[in-house]
Amino acid sequence: MTGDLAITSLRGGAIDAIRATDLDRKTKLAQESATRWFARRVSLRSPLDAALPERPGRPDKPVLTPPTQVEKRSLHTLKGRIALLHAIAHIELNAVDLALDIVARFASEQVPNSFFDGWMQVAFEEAKHFRMVRARLNDLGADYGDLPAHDGLWQAAHSTRHDLTARLAVVPLILEARGLDVTPSLQAKMRETGDLESADVLDVIYNDEKGHVAVGAKWFRFLCAREKRDPAKAFQELVRANFRGPLKPPFNDLARAEAGLTPSFYRSLASISHA
């Protein structure tokens, strides 16, 4: 499985995974780069690393459309459950590339190696999530790529490509934290419809995502401490500068707090946007 993966360094493996258009290869490269890095069998960077692409590699499908054009369907129908799982697969695939991009793009930052440990753990788990959701789609007679998907996640990350603190504010502390808010109700709805297998997949994702938000919060606080900035204030400033749209309640305050994201960070942003 891994013999054909010539990984030059952690950054090189991450870049090759981002560039890969074959999704099996992308997830294998992500996980194998993580495994070799955890064992300290690769260096952080190498002169042989490929260039970081503007956009991640993707197969021809799904067709990417604006978020407003992605159709909403009831979870009480098979089509609706497939549509939800397809949307989740798309989010998880973007999350693989976003975790890898943090590692590759910021490989020259003055941060401890444990920073890269954390993000490669995230990349490894997001690859696992994508495979799990895709396998569940296959069980239901569908596949990733069958439906259109939106491009908002990558665009949000692209806007923070020059500022690691802003990237951490937007990706883990807004986009991933949103998953903590919405996933429990989706799990409950899947169970109501009798689709316990899909609910179990969402359960794995939900528990792992708490850890992903925690990685983001830990390193956001680390960078703020180094710059002598108040984390909650810095978060609010960075969100206003780099994120379009409001932060929408309801918030899963308990899960967010467990991950180190307390209401002082996000409550004022939500109340301003609803004024």
Side-chain angles (χ1 to χ4, degrees):
M1 172 178 135
T2 56
D4 65 330
L5 303 180
I7 295 170
T8 55
S9 69
L10 178 63
R11 181 178 63 181
I15 289 170
D16 289 348
I18 292 167
R19 291 165 70 109
T21 55
D22 178 286
L23 301 183
D24 288 331
R25 181 172 171 78
K26 183 186 289 285
T27 52
K28 279 179 191 171
L29 269 165
Q31 292 192 325
E32 181 62 15
S33 298
T35 300
R36 291 188 198 182
W37 171 253
F38 296 150
R40 299 299 188 254
R41 286 165 49 208
V42 289
S43 62
L44 177 57
R45 302 184 298 274
S46 161
L48 301 175
D49 298 343
L52 187 62
E54 277 289 296
R55 292 187 61 81
R58 289 285 182 270
D60 294 338
K61 288 186 173 180
V63 174
L64 295 179
T65 62
T68 49
Q69 290 176 22
V70 177
E71 193 179 340
K72 300 273 193 294
R73 294 191 178 108
S74 165
L75 291 186
H76 290 281
T77 66
L78 176 60
K79 275 188 174 176
R81 292 199 298 282
I82 287 172
L84 174 69
L85 289 167
H86 192 279
I88 291 170
H90 186 65
I91 289 167
E92 298 302 323
L93 178 61
N94 273 282
V96 175
D97 285 318
L98 288 170
L100 294 168
D101 186 79
I102 283 182
V103 168
R105 188 173 297 279
F106 299 105
S108 299
E109 289 278 325
Q110 294 298 307
V111 287
N113 275 350
S114 52
F115 174 88
F116 302 104
D117 295 345
W119 288 110
M120 289 312 295
Q121 185 66 36
V122 173
F124 189 99
E125 289 172 355
E126 303 290 19
K128 175 186 76 175
H129 297 167
F130 176 75
R131 285 194 190 147
M132 288 174 72
V133 180
R134 191 176 193 181
R136 184 64 193 139
L137 281 169
N138 295 164
D139 292 345
L140 298 174
D143 197 8
Y144 178 68
D146 288 354
L147 299 169
H150 73 78
D151 197 33
L153 289 169
W154 187 258
Q155 289 168 356
H158 193 64
S159 70
T160 59
R161 64 193 180 278
H162 302 305
D163 182 343
L164 177 56
T165 314
R167 170 65 66 90
L168 294 173
V170 169
V171 176
L173 302 189
I174 294 182
L175 300 178
E176 290 241 29
R178 186 79 189 125
L180 301 184
D181 302 333
V182 302
T183 305
S185 65
L186 294 176
Q187 285 172 283
K189 284 175 187 164
M190 283 290 192
R191 288 206 169 88
E192 276 169 33
T193 67
D195 190 344
L196 302 183
E197 294 86 355
S198 295
D200 288 345
V201 170
L202 290 177
D203 197 46
V204 172
I205 291 173
Y206 177 67
N207 286 311
D208 286 347
E209 297 293 349
K210 287 183 196 172
H212 301 177
V213 176
V215 171
K218 170 187 173 178
W219 291 108
F220 184 81
R221 289 175 185 278
F222 171 88
L223 292 173
C224 287
R226 193 162 74 180
E227 296 163 16
K228 298 185 168 49
R229 296 172 78 182
D230 175 82
K233 277 186 191 159
F235 176 73
Q236 289 154 19
E237 288 163 11
L238 289 162
V239 171
R240 289 191 189 104
N242 295 285
F243 187 74
R244 287 191 201 139
L247 300 195
K248 295 172 188 164
F251 299 113
N252 186 342
D253 289 329
L254 183 60
R256 283 167 168 253
E258 283 173 7
L261 189 58
T262 50
S264 63
F265 275 67
Y266 53 86
R267 279 285 174 200
S268 64
L269 291 167
S271 59
I272 288 166
S273 64
H274 285 72

